[in-house]
Structures are given as C-alpha cells and as structure tokens.
Amino acid sequence: MREVCCPPPGGRARHEEILQAIELLERIDQALSRMKPRVRETFILRHLDGLAQDDIARHHGISVRTVQADLVEAMLACDAAMEVNGG
C-alpha cells in the first residue's frame, strides 16, 4: 500500500522518463505514418520482424540496394522525429 500512495525516492524521475519515452514513441509513430508504404513496411520488416535485407528484397520484388535506400530513408525520418523538441 505504501508504494501506491507514496512512491519510493526517485519515483518522480522514473515517471518523467516513462513520459519522455512515450512522447518519443509517439513521434516515431507519426514519422512512420508519413513514410511511403514500402519504406514503412521495409523498416518494420527489418527492425521489428528481424528479416534480413535479402528476404525483404524478395518480399517486395526489389533489389537489396533499394531495400538499403528505403532503410536509410526510414532511419533519417526517425532520427528527425527524435530530434524534435530536443529529443
């Protein structure tokens, strides 16, 4: 019960860190929603599903070089989203 009404020392800082992480994820989500569909799907297949670049290339019917270009485009968009407001 004490934890519910009286957070441990440093609990406030932890709460602020969680809020900052949520805000960052929201900015990345917005960046993903603005990407071209193939770029977004390529990013998700690589970084969330763990597919290799050659598997993604086969999935889309494109070259590995194009997959790499799409990943660079997606990462730049995510980096820009993280930079907003000093992120």
Side-chain angles (χ1 to χ4, degrees), residues 49-77:
D49 295 341
L51 265 63
Q53 292 180 7
D54 57 335
D55 293 330
I56 297 169
R58 275 192 297 279
H59 173 80
H60 285 304
I62 58 178
S63 70
V64 171
R65 194 104 155 122
T66 301
V67 168
Q68 293 168 343
D70 286 353
L71 290 171
V72 168
E73 183 178 333
M75 290 303 295
L76 289 172

Side-chain angles (χ1 to χ4, degrees), residues 27-57:
R27 289 196 305 263
I28 291 173
D29 182 58
Q30 290 170 359
L32 287 169
S33 70
R34 289 189 297 267
M35 290 178 193
K36 293 178 269 185
R38 189 190 71 213
V39 172
R40 179 178 49 252
E41 186 176 359
T42 297
F43 178 86
I44 290 169
L45 289 171
R46 178 71 187 114
H47 294 287
L48 298 180
D49 295 341
L51 265 63
Q53 292 180 7
D54 57 335
D55 293 330
I56 297 169

